[in-house]
Amino acid sequence: MTAAQPVRFRVVPQEDGMMIAQLLTRRLPGTGIDLARELVKAGAVYLGHLRVRIPTVRVATGERVSVFPESAKDEELGPESLRFVQRDEDFVVLDKPAGVPVAATRESARGTLAEALRRHLEAEGVLRPYVGVLHRLDRGASGLVLFTTRSVANKSLHRQFTEHDVTREYRMLVVGEAPTRASCELPLLELRSGTTKVAPASRYARAARTDFERLSPRQPRAGTSLWQASLTTGRHHQIRVHAAALGHPLVGDRRYGDAGDGDSTLHLHAWRLCFTHPSSGAQIEVRAELPMWAQALDQSP
């Protein structure tokens, strides 16, 4: 999925009542009707602030249209990409591949983990399957993501996240000689651009805390350190921003760090997740397989 800026325009009187797909062929040079329909179905077109997914929706004079043209290139996530770690009738835990968004982004609703899970459940015979997105994992990161598959379970699990009763542990490769232990409690402010920054405490900046512990990697890499992080809160890009604020950005983090060494892989992996089962009350602990770079000598995967 692309982070390109959208094409924006308003519907003029001559276009009043036109179907949105037809409008796109008129306004976007080189866009045929098939491509226009694909853009709409991909969730790359908005009327005002509302995402449109039906190509036959008609527009009205004065409406503002926003289009992300590059999103037509996004492909559906195949069933082979779904790596089930644990599931029952209430929830599913998946091991997300790097580069795959958990849920719809501003640019597109296609190729997401949530959408692929929904299609998988439909293929299993579930009628109008429910897929509840409880938390996000950065697109470039890999590892555990928890979904609910029954709406009745969503409230319980969502409360656990908001009340910080879920244990989430991550492995990351950071730049430099990181300390053995470190904590960061700098408030975070999420910007409209999708970027998060450290900000003074205010009604807009949200409290956040990340605890870091240095581990001994099985495959040492010069100029880097292997850190494990646990979250007390789960703000947008929290680990990446806090690690950078401590002077040790993640390897491959082009947004908050420096990928000048040419490594474009974000070295962040969600490897351990603990929560309370929404129905039985049992304690659930789930672990994901660790990539080679994230394996430590002092703790087996």
Side-chain angles (χ1 to χ4, degrees):
M1 295 182 183
T2 177
Q5 291 301 308
V7 175
R8 292 193 172 99
F9 56 87
R10 288 193 180 274
V11 179
V12 297
Q14 302 94 303
E15 298 164 336
D16 186 79
M18 187 176 291
M19 289 189 294
I20 186 67
Q22 293 176 323
L23 177 65
L24 297 184
T25 65
R26 175 186 173 97
R27 289 300 196 103
L28 302 180
T31 301
I33 190 63
D34 289 339
L35 177 56
R37 288 170 179 156
E38 283 301 305
L39 281 168
V40 177
K41 291 177 181 178
V45 181
Y46 292 78
L47 285 179
H49 297 290
L50 181 65
R51 172 175 266 146
V52 181
R53 300 294 297 275
I54 302 174
T56 55
V57 166
R58 297 187 180 275
V59 299
T61 300
E63 284 188 303
R64 189 173 82 160
V65 180
S66 301
V67 188
F68 292 87
E70 293 298 312
S71 295
K73 300 176 183 177
D74 295 335
E75 298 181 356
E76 301 285 1
L77 193 63
E80 68 282 356
S81 299
L82 291 181
R83 300 197 290 248
F84 288 87
V85 180
Q86 188 165 335
R87 66 179 295 190
D88 70 8
E89 63 178 6
D90 287 322
F91 67 85
V92 169
V93 180
L94 297 176
D95 187 352
K96 185 185 88 67
V100 174
V102 172
T105 64
R106 183 175 63 122
E107 296 86 5
S108 176
R110 178 175 286 171
T112 69
L113 205 63
E115 181 185 48
L117 176 58
R118 188 175 294 108
R119 293 202 319 272
H120 178 88
L121 295 174
E122 287 177 343
E124 289 184 336
V126 179
L127 183 64
R128 294 191 296 276
Y130 176 88
V131 174
V133 179
L134 293 162
H135 63 120
R136 308 256 178 158
L137 186 60
D138 296 349
R139 178 182 174 179
S142 57
L144 300 174
V145 181
L146 173 64
F147 296 93
T148 50
T149 49
R150 292 204 308 163
S151 58
V152 68
N154 194 71
K155 184 176 180 181
S156 170
L157 285 169
H158 186 266
R159 185 187 306 114
Q160 292 181 51
F161 276 93
T162 57
E163 294 179 357
H164 314 308
D165 291 332
V166 177
T167 298
R168 286 177 282 176
E169 291 186 353
Y170 301 76
R171 295 278 175 93
M172 70 212 67
L173 198 65
V174 300
V175 176
E177 189 75 15
T180 302
R181 294 186 183 277
S183 293
C184 188
E185 297 185 68
L186 294 171
L188 300 177
L189 177 65
E190 184 176 351
L191 307 178
R192 289 184 178 181
S193 63
T195 299
T196 297
K197 71 173 185 178
V198 171
S202 69
R203 62 174 179 166
Y204 301 109
R206 305 176 72 186
R209 174 170 177 162
T210 313
D211 296 312
F212 299 95
E213 177 186 2
R214 182 170 175 171
L215 305 175
S216 299
R218 289 187 177 180
Q219 294 186 329
R221 178 171 168 178
T224 68
S225 302
L226 179 63
W227 249 355
Q228 179 162 288
S230 58
L231 296 182
T232 302
T233 56
R235 310 305 183 199
H236 184 253
H237 291 173
Q238 177 178 322
I239 289 177
R240 296 163 63 183
V241 176
H242 274 177
L246 292 175
H248 299 285
L250 273 65
V251 172
D253 193 344
R254 287 188 271 188
R255 177 168 293 187
Y256 302 108
D258 180 10
D261 60 358
D263 194 334
S264 60
T265 301
L266 181 66
H267 286 65
L268 177 63
H269 185 71
W271 81 282
R272 183 169 176 263
L273 183 66
C274 302
F275 58 95
T276 301
H277 194 288
S279 298
S280 69
Q283 294 302 302
I284 306 295
E285 178 179 353
V286 185
R287 298 188 180 199
E289 183 178 349
L290 288 166
M292 289 300 296
W293 64 261
Q295 294 180 16
L297 289 174
D298 55 349
Q299 186 172 353
S300 62

